[in-house]
Amino acid sequence: MAKSSRAPSRRRVVKLLLALPFVRFLDAYLARFIGLGSDTAIAAAPLRVAKVSELTQPWSSVSFPYRLKVRSKDVYKKETVTEETIPGLVIRLPDDVAEKRGGGVKGKFYVVDLHCTHQRCVTTYLQDKNEIRAVADIDAKNPMAYCPCHRSVFDLGQGGKVVKGPAKQPLWKFEFDIKKDEIVVTGVDPKASQWDPGRPGELFGEYPVREGEPGL
Ligand code: FES
């Protein structure tokens, strides 16, 4: 049977919904859930972030900001380009950890996006075992990344694996090359751009934010 020409199109229904103030508030999330909006990272130029020769000690590190342009399309297919800064960290791994990852000069370095994979707060690089025990209640063998928002903990000796949730995915990492003495970031983790704000329960504060710490 032919469709009635009076039946509202999906786009029209979406436009009507977006006229409601509460639904407008959820615009970004709604766009993802119904699949009409999208975000695409625009490739940034390779960035020198550290020298091999300055990172000789196990777990020594250099932090860097990585500026990336993100092209977004909203539910009306309108395109905007915004700049995002990703907090990056290059870590020199101990030899035994590097060997497990395949060895070589490149295997000695781990270049990580410090955004928490739960709701993208910025994690803190903790090296001191007593500090890790005090803040995260974990007896750690090596440094960890700790998220102050909902206390997720990521093991930096195991590729950013989640040790404590609510985060479920390991930390994202940068793509990089070693050029002579330079560590050069060449791109972001594709999984980072597929990040989803999560289930509605997470949006509405299922996990309490600690007092005095960054909110959602
Ligand atoms: S944002 Fe990191 S644990 Fe929630």
Side-chain angles (χ1 to χ4, degrees):
M1 198 163 69
K3 267 190 190 173
S4 159
S5 60
R6 301 191 62 163
S9 67
R10 182 164 74 150
R11 183 166 298 215
R12 230 176 129 202
V13 171
V14 171
K15 279 186 178 178
L16 287 172
L17 279 171
L18 287 172
L20 302 171
F22 174 70
V23 178
R24 279 198 82 81
F25 171 71
L26 291 176
D27 188 354
Y29 301 109
L30 191 68
R32 285 172 189 268
F33 292 146
I34 62 179
L36 288 176
S38 63
D39 287 349
T40 315
I42 302 172
L47 180 72
R48 288 189 205 118
V49 293
K51 287 185 183 296
V52 170
S53 55
E54 70 183 315
L55 291 168
T56 53
Q57 295 305 310
W59 300 114
S60 55
S61 65
V62 172
S63 61
F64 64 92
Y66 187 78
R67 295 198 177 82
L68 182 74
K69 288 199 167 59
V70 179
R71 182 184 293 130
S72 307
K73 278 189 188 166
D74 67 12
V75 290
Y76 308 113
K77 303 286 179 198
K78 188 179 156 207
E79 199 171 280
T80 48
V81 175
T82 49
E83 194 172 86
E84 184 176 334
T85 300
I86 301 176
L89 189 73
V90 189
I91 301 171
R92 163 69 209 248
L93 296 169
D95 290 344
D96 58 332
V97 177
E99 266 160 38
K100 279 189 208 149
R101 307 169 87 228
V105 182
K106 204 171 164 186
K108 292 182 177 171
F109 297 95
Y110 176 35
V111 188
V112 65
D113 175 346
L114 287 176
H115 277 133
C116 176
T117 55
H118 177 225
Q119 289 178 347
R120 300 192 82 189
C121 288
V122 178
T123 59
T124 306
Y125 178 42
L126 295 181
Q127 293 192 69
D128 183 274
K129 290 181 184 171
N130 293 330
E131 194 179 0
I132 296 171
R133 190 175 305 114
V135 300
D137 197 22
I138 283 176
D139 285 320
K141 290 199 188 102
N142 52 253
M144 300 272 164
Y146 170 73
C147 179
C149 290
H150 313 102
R151 306 182 186 187
S152 286
V153 183
F154 303 86
D155 188 336
L156 297 170
Q158 295 193 67
K161 178 180 159 189
V162 178
V163 179
K164 267 194 172 181
K168 294 184 180 71
Q169 292 179 42
L171 289 175
W172 299 306
K173 44 188 194 260
F174 287 95
E175 291 165 2
F176 71 99
D177 279 331
I178 308 271
K179 299 208 167 140
K180 294 187 181 165
D181 192 34
E182 306 276 5
I183 300 167
V184 181
V185 165
T186 54
V188 292
D189 194 325
K191 291 196 196 84
S193 60
Q194 290 155 16
W195 177 80
D196 191 286
R199 295 173 289 121
E202 290 174 344
L203 300 181
F204 294 108
E206 186 177 311
Y207 304 102
V209 177
R210 289 168 63 180
E211 211 172 304
E213 289 177 341
L216 299 179

